[in-house]
Amino acid sequence: MATEIRANNILSDEEDESDDGSKIVELKGYLNKWTNYIHGWQRRFFVFSNGTLSYYKSELEAGHGCRGTISLRRATIKPHEFDECRFDVSVNDNVWYLRADTPEEKQHFVDLLELCKLESGYSSESNLRRYGSGLSLASNNLSASSINNLFKDKELKEKVAELCTYKDILCKQIDDLQNFYENQLGANNFDPSQVKQFDVKGEALTFKATTEAVLDRLQNCIDVMGQRDDLWYRKVEHEKEKRRKLEEMVRTLRTQIASPPDLEEGPHSTLADDEFYDAFETELDKMEEEAQNRQAFKQQLSVVLSENSNNNVTHVVNDEKTASSAEYHRLWPEIERVTKEQIKYAQMGLGNDAWHLFAEEGEMKMYRREEEVNGLVVDPLKACHVVKGVTAHEMCHYFFSPQYRYDWETTLEHMTVVENISDDTLIFLQLHKRIWPATQRDALFWSHIRQVPPNEPGVRDIWIVVNNSTELPKHPPDNKKCIRLFLTVCLLCQTIVSSPKEGASITRDNLTCKITYCSVVNPGGWAPASVLRAVYKREYPKFLKRFTAYVIDQCKNKPIMF
C-alpha cells in the first residue's frame, strides 16, 4: 500500500485563511514506524501542523490525542545509509525511525519535512501558509528536486521579473533618446531651446543606472545558476559515496557468509530479556515448522523406509567397531560410575519440596529444581511419563541409535560418531543449529545403553541410556565458531505387561512403558536466566512428546522388541 501524504485545508472556507489572507496547510499521511524488537515496524498515521510532527495509531484515532510529537524546528532529518525507504527524525536523544513504502515516497517526504523545518524555523508559519496547497506529496506535479530548490526558484523568478522591469525602462529610455535625436537634432528647423528642455545628462545617468542594475541582476542569475551547478555536483558526489558504501557492504556480507556467526549474546547484550526471548522463540518456531515439513515428507516415503526401519544399532556401529574391548577403555570407569549414579538418581523419588511441577499433560509430569552455576541456569529436570504400545528396550533403542537421531532431535545441524567404544557405547559430536541471538552450540558426549535388573514386582524389564559430556584431544572446543555445552542425561524405561486373555499372545495393547527422564544441561556462554527458564519450560515438554510419539509411530506393525 503506497504511503499517502496529502496537504489539506484544515479549516472551513470561512476559517482557512490567516490575517494576511494566506491558507493554513496541514500534512497528513501513513508511514511505518519502528516500535521495538517484539512488534517491529507498525503502520502509523502522521500529521504535521504548527511546526510539529505528531503520530497516531490510525486516522480514526487522530481526534483522541496523539501518541507522540516532535518539533521540527530543532529536529535532524536523516535518510538511512543503506535502506532506501527509511529515514530518521531526531531531537537530541529522541529518535523516530520511519519508513515509507518506496524510495520515491521517502525522498518526497524528507524533502517536504526539510522545507517545513526551514519555514518553521526562519519565518514562523507565514511563509508555509503562503504556499498553500503546493505542499502536497500526493501530487506528482511537485518533484523532490523542485522542493529542494523552491527558495532558489523563487529568488530566480524575482530576479527575472526585475530584469523584465529594467528592460521596459531601458526600452522607454532608448525610445525617448531616439525620438529626441530624430525629431529635434535632425530637423531643419533646429531650436536650441528644445535641447535645454530635454535633460540629456539626466537621461544618460538614468540609462547608466538602469544598465548597471541589469548587469547586477544578470550576475545574480549567474550566481544562482552556479549554486545549482554546485548542488548537482554535490548530489553526484553523494550518489558516488552511496555506491561506494553499498559495494563495501556487499563485500562485508560476502565475508560474513564465509565466516563464523556473529556473537550476539553476552552480559552486555543490547537486547532486553523480553526481546532476547522473543527473537529466540521465533527461531524455535521456524525450526519446529521445518521439522514438521520434514516429517510430512518422510511419511510420504514410509513404504520405502519401512524396509530398513528395523535395523539394530549393532549393524551401524560394527562398521566402526574398534579392536579394543570396552572394559580396557580409559573412559570405562567413568561410564560405570556415572551410569550407576543415574540409575539410582532416576529410581529415587522427588523426595523434597525443592522440586517444582512446571508442566503437566495427561500422564506426563515435568519437575525442575532451580539452580545456577556462576550465574548461569543449570536447573536439573526430572520428567515422568507413561506410554502405551512400546517396550523399554524399544524406547531406549531409538534414543541411543545414531541412525534415528536426526528424526526426533530437531535442533541438530550435524552429528558424528567420533568413536565406537563398544556395541553399547558410542561417543557423539553434535553441532546444534544456531538460534539467533544466541551463539551456536556443540556437545561432545559418550552415550551408553544397558539393561537393568528389575527391582519392582510387575516390571518385565528395565533399560537405560545415559549421555554424559566428555573431552577428546582430537575434538577440542572451537571457541571462534561456537560454545560447547555440558550435559548429563538419562532415559530410564520400564516395561509393564498386562496379562493377555487366556490362550492369546502378548500384543502391543498389553504393553505399557513407564519413562523417567532426567537431565542437567549447562549451556555455557551467557543467556538471561529468565530466557533460559522460559525456553526450558516450553521446549522440554515438546521434546518428550515428540520423541515418544516418534517411537510409537516407528513401532507400529513391527515385532515387539524386549
Side-chain angles (χ1 to χ4, degrees), residues 235-245:
K235 284 186 175 182
V236 171
E237 291 299 317
H238 179 67
E239 293 298 323
K240 289 181 179 179
E241 181 66 15
K242 282 177 61 178
R243 177 175 178 177
R244 185 190 65 78
K245 290 181 178 179

Side-chain angles (χ1 to χ4, degrees), residues 428-440:
F428 289 90
L429 176 61
Q430 292 187 168
L431 179 65
H432 295 267
K433 296 176 182 176
R434 188 194 177 194
I435 307 175
W436 189 90
T439 308
Q440 194 169 23

Side-chain angles (χ1 to χ4, degrees), residues 261-478:
D262 55 310
L263 305 181
E264 295 287 346
E265 69 174 61
H268 304 293
S269 174
T270 58
L271 293 179
D273 287 8
D274 55 347
E275 295 173 347
F276 192 100
Y277 175 65
D278 186 68
F280 203 91
E281 187 179 34
T282 301
E283 292 297 318
L284 288 173
D285 290 338
K286 291 180 181 178
M287 291 170 57
E288 188 173 349
E289 183 179 356
E290 292 175 0
Q292 291 174 353
N293 294 336
R294 186 170 63 247
Q295 185 63 25
F297 176 74
K298 288 187 175 182
Q299 288 177 354
Q300 297 176 0
L301 303 177
S302 58
V303 176
V304 178
L305 295 177
S306 62
E307 299 177 358
N308 301 322
S309 62
N310 200 29
N311 292 337
N312 193 279
V313 63
T314 55
H315 297 162
V316 175
V317 298
N318 280 342
D319 293 339
E320 303 175 358
K321 192 171 182 179
T322 59
S324 61
S325 176
E327 60 185 18
Y328 297 110
H329 195 277
R330 63 178 182 82
L331 290 176
W332 191 250
E334 176 188 317
I335 294 172
E336 280 290 319
R337 175 180 57 80
V338 174
T339 300
K340 290 178 180 179
E341 289 176 354
Q342 291 302 309
I343 293 173
K344 181 179 178 181
Y345 181 70
Q347 293 178 339
M348 184 185 303
L350 298 175
N352 55 61
D353 296 333
W355 290 97
H356 301 284
L357 178 67
F358 72 90
E360 181 177 6
E361 185 175 342
E363 296 289 343
M364 182 179 66
K365 293 181 175 61
M366 290 197 143
Y367 306 84
R368 77 160 181 256
R369 194 171 64 241
E370 293 190 356
E371 292 184 9
E372 294 187 11
V373 175
N374 297 326
L376 192 65
V377 172
V378 292
D379 294 352
L381 173 86
K382 196 165 190 177
C384 302
H385 195 20
V386 177
V387 295
K388 303 286 186 179
V390 295
T391 66
H393 191 186
E394 289 169 336
M395 291 294 299
C396 292
H397 166 68
Y398 284 100
F399 190 77
F400 172 79
S401 303
Q403 65 264 40
Y404 307 116
R405 193 170 292 266
Y406 283 109
D407 295 335
W408 55 267
E409 184 71 75
T410 58
T411 64
L412 280 185
E413 181 173 305
H414 183 68
M415 180 269 298
T416 307
V417 178
V418 297
E419 187 173 346
N420 174 17
I421 298 176
S422 65
D423 291 351
D424 58 8
T425 308
L426 305 172
I427 298 181
F428 289 90
L429 176 61
Q430 292 187 168
L431 179 65
H432 295 267
K433 296 176 182 176
R434 188 194 177 194
I435 307 175
W436 189 90
T439 308
Q440 194 169 23
R441 259 73 174 174
D442 70 351
L444 179 68
F445 61 92
W446 54 258
S447 183
H448 176 67
I449 182 173
R450 71 167 57 175
Q451 188 173 9
V452 181
N455 60 350
E456 297 180 16
V459 177
R460 169 71 180 262
D461 59 7
I462 300 176
W463 284 79
I464 188 172
V465 177
V466 178
N467 299 338
N468 190 67
S469 290
T470 187
E471 295 180 358
L472 287 179
K474 294 181 179 180
H475 301 280
D478 187 359

Side-chain angles (χ1 to χ4, degrees), residues 153-260:
D153 284 344
K154 180 173 175 289
E155 182 183 357
L156 185 61
K157 289 179 180 178
E158 290 176 352
K159 300 301 180 184
V160 171
E162 291 174 357
L163 280 173
C164 292
T165 302
Y166 288 129
K167 181 201 74 172
D168 295 338
I169 295 174
L170 279 175
C171 290
K172 184 177 181 304
Q173 291 174 346
I174 292 172
D175 290 340
D176 292 343
L177 289 172
Q178 185 72 24
N179 291 333
F180 171 75
Y181 284 109
E182 288 181 356
N183 298 331
Q184 301 296 333
L185 298 181
N188 296 326
N189 53 351
F190 175 74
D191 186 359
S193 61
Q194 294 289 338
V195 178
K196 294 180 180 180
Q197 292 178 1
F198 187 81
D199 188 2
V200 178
K201 182 177 181 181
E203 289 294 330
L205 292 174
T206 304
F207 184 83
K208 179 180 180 182
T210 305
T211 53
E212 287 178 350
V214 170
L215 293 175
D216 182 64
R217 296 303 180 270
L218 286 173
Q219 184 61 47
N220 289 337
C221 293
I222 293 172
D223 292 340
V224 172
M225 299 304 295
Q227 291 175 3
R228 287 192 170 187
D229 290 342
D230 293 339
L231 176 63
W232 282 110
Y233 176 78
R234 289 195 299 270
K235 284 186 175 182
V236 171
E237 291 299 317
H238 179 67
E239 293 298 323
K240 289 181 179 179
E241 181 66 15
K242 282 177 61 178
R243 177 175 178 177
R244 185 190 65 78
K245 290 181 178 179
L246 286 173
E247 291 175 348
E248 183 178 348
M249 183 180 68
V250 170
R251 288 194 297 268
T252 303
L253 290 174
R254 287 177 178 173
T255 305
Q256 289 177 351
I257 291 174
S259 63

Side-chain angles (χ1 to χ4, degrees), residues 91-109:
V91 175
N92 298 329
D93 295 334
N94 184 19
V95 184
W96 288 4
Y97 305 104
L98 306 177
R99 200 172 192 277
D101 290 341
T102 64
E104 292 77 14
E105 290 176 358
K106 184 267 295 186
Q107 188 61 44
H108 219 37
F109 194 88

